Amino acid sequence: KTEKFRIGLTRDFLTPGGGLAIGDNALRLLEKETRVSYKFFPKLSSEISPDQIAGYDAIIPLAPQITRNTLSKGNLELSVVARCGVGYDNVDVKALTQQNCILTIAPDAVRRPVATGIITLILALTHELLAKDRLVRDGRWQDRHQIRARGLSGRILGSIGIGNIGKELFRLIRPFEMVHIATDPLVNPGEIADLRVDLVDLETLMRQSDFVCINCPLTTKTRGMIGERELGWMKQTAYFINTSRGPIVDQDALYRIVKERRIRGAALDVFSAEPLPDNNPLTKLDNVILTPHSICWTDECFQAMGDSAARSVLAIFSGQVPESVVNPEVLKKPEMIRKLKENSQRWESLGPD
């Protein structure tokens, strides 16, 4: 084959008006490379269909799922799915591996934006930002002394998970002089020695923390990990923050506990079902901040995600192994080795830019 490498992007990259939702310059690396062409899927769907991926050498998805059905048609030309983001619970990794396809993610792109988003939510909660905003809008300026904000010095920040994002959170929030604790069965204490974070068990973290932050991926082990019992361990003065994945938490239990003021408040960027229905009872609570799974969406994040995905597909097209491969076992499969070799030959035949 001597035609250009073809890349398909899911429709949610585009705004209703046809603009690029992640910023006009986010796909700059693809636009500069003459050996590739890219198109956006003609329609938006929650699950990518087999017909949508037909003929593409690479797919760059945002939110839509990639399931076993997506890959059900034989003779796939697909070499890589380059996920714009760090989570991949919406991708059937095993099916991709069986179909000799690499999955990559963009952890460096979201590490700083998510961590700063968490700090934004912590500050908004403790400074009673929404309540103060309502005072002005309701013409109740004289009631401002009734709202008491809280400082962070000496408070205990607990992270469930201390991977890429958890580590960055503790680095960035260090000047606030908080006490740092975390729980993560996969982390060796030596990995986090420079962060001055004490590793504890889940119950200790839930009971001691003034802020409980979810920073772990959604897996079979973490799904439903935080329920009525675990939330019941929290202090009445504590806050709960989830910017990871909604199904990690029993959302109904969280609603009851926040509504009954058994904790002081919560901030949620993710939910058990998305988008959150308009009539969801969480929207009626005044001690909860809700954001639409977008707390990390900044110009820096979009640029870095676009660059990361582009580097992944361009590396594979030139026969190289990209960074942040989720399923490295596929690289040892003879069919994948053959694909990479053929890609390299095709890349060279197309000539330099």
Side-chain angles (χ1 to χ4, degrees):
K1 294 177 65 174
T2 56
E3 67 266 23
K4 292 182 177 182
F5 286 87
R6 297 186 62 209
I7 305 167
L9 292 91
T10 53
R11 191 71 184 180
D12 52 343
F13 275 99
L14 298 180
T15 65
L20 195 57
I22 64 171
D24 294 338
N25 203 33
L27 300 179
R28 60 184 178 179
L29 297 183
L30 297 183
E31 292 168 353
K32 290 178 180 178
E33 178 53 69
T34 60
R35 287 173 279 194
V36 306
S37 64
Y38 67 86
K39 289 184 178 180
F40 299 95
F41 290 175
K43 65 178 183 177
L44 179 62
S45 56
S46 60
E47 178 183 336
I48 299 175
S49 71
D51 292 335
Q52 285 178 308
I53 67 171
Y56 284 113
D57 300 287
I59 298 297
I60 302 179
L62 273 179
Q65 292 182 308
I66 295 178
T67 66
R68 186 167 295 276
N69 180 64
T70 305
L71 309 167
S72 60
K73 290 192 175 179
N75 300 318
L76 286 179
E77 298 179 54
L78 204 60
S79 294
V80 58
V81 171
R83 172 93 171 82
C84 261
V86 67
Y88 50 90
D89 47 282
N90 59 346
V91 178
D92 190 327
V93 181
K94 185 176 180 180
L96 275 182
T97 302
Q98 290 173 345
Q99 292 291 344
N100 305 296
C101 185
I102 295 169
L103 172 64
T104 65
I105 55 175
D108 290 341
V110 301
R111 180 181 65 245
R112 175 65 58 87
V114 174
T116 55
I118 295 168
I119 295 172
T120 299
L121 294 173
I122 288 173
L123 293 173
L125 286 167
T126 55
H127 282 267
E128 297 286 355
L129 198 61
L130 295 185
K132 292 178 179 180
D133 177 83
R134 286 192 295 270
L135 285 184
V136 178
R137 295 177 188 275
D138 295 344
R140 297 169 52 216
W141 189 285
Q142 71 280 2
D143 294 335
R144 58 183 176 157
H145 296 297
Q146 296 180 18
I147 297 177
R148 303 287 180 88
R150 297 159 193 85
L152 297 182
S153 298
R155 307 286 187 184
I156 300 175
L157 173 62
S159 177
I160 298 176
I162 187 169
N164 191 41
I165 293 167
K167 291 186 180 76
E168 186 75 355
L169 170 63
F170 287 123
R171 290 189 194 101
L172 295 179
I173 209 166
R174 183 177 292 174
F176 289 95
E177 299 179 340
M178 303 178 74
V179 177
H180 301 165
I181 63 176
T183 185
D184 192 325
L186 302 179
V187 169
N188 185 297
E191 297 177 41
I192 56 172
D194 62 321
L195 296 177
R196 299 198 294 272
V197 177
D198 290 331
L199 287 176
V200 298
D201 59 62
L202 178 61
E203 182 174 352
T204 299
L205 183 139
M206 299 297 288
R207 290 188 182 280
Q208 292 186 359
S209 296
D210 295 296
F211 303 88
V212 173
C213 302
I214 305 294
N215 288 309
C216 61
L218 176 62
T219 66
T220 54
K221 291 185 178 180
T222 63
R223 183 179 293 273
M225 177 174 63
I226 304 300
E228 186 99 29
R229 182 187 64 161
E230 290 76 19
L231 293 167
W233 289 334
M234 292 178 67
K235 302 175 184 178
Q236 191 173 4
T237 54
Y239 297 95
F240 183 85
I241 299 165
N242 189 6
T243 58
S244 181
R245 286 294 186 270
I248 294 172
V249 181
D250 182 336
Q251 188 168 292
D252 292 336
L254 178 61
Y255 166 75
R256 289 191 298 272
I257 282 175
V258 176
K259 183 176 184 294
E260 295 167 6
R261 308 280 172 167
R262 289 156 61 188
I263 62 174
R264 192 181 295 277
L268 307 174
D269 186 51
V270 291
F271 307 92
S272 56
E274 298 179 5
L276 187 70
D278 294 339
N279 61 351
N280 189 282
L282 283 169
T283 62
K284 306 299 189 295
L285 301 180
D286 62 5
N287 57 340
V288 178
I289 296 175
L290 307 174
T291 54
H293 203 154
S294 62
I295 196 65
C296 77
W297 285 10
T298 64
D299 52 353
E300 292 176 317
C301 180
F302 287 147
Q303 186 67 73
M305 286 197 304
D307 285 352
S308 176
R311 284 195 300 269
S312 289
V313 297
L314 294 178
I316 290 170
F317 290 167
S318 60
Q320 303 173 42
V321 177
E323 297 179 352
S324 304
V325 175
V326 173
N327 54 340
E329 62 273 17
V330 75
L331 299 170
K332 300 177 183 179
K333 298 183 66 176
E335 182 62 22
M336 191 73 247
I337 294 172
R338 181 190 64 78
K339 272 189 182 182
L340 289 174
K341 182 178 180 180
E342 290 179 354
N343 282 347
S344 178
Q345 294 171 345
R346 180 177 163 195
W347 186 258
E348 290 299 321
S349 71
L350 290 169
D353 291 353

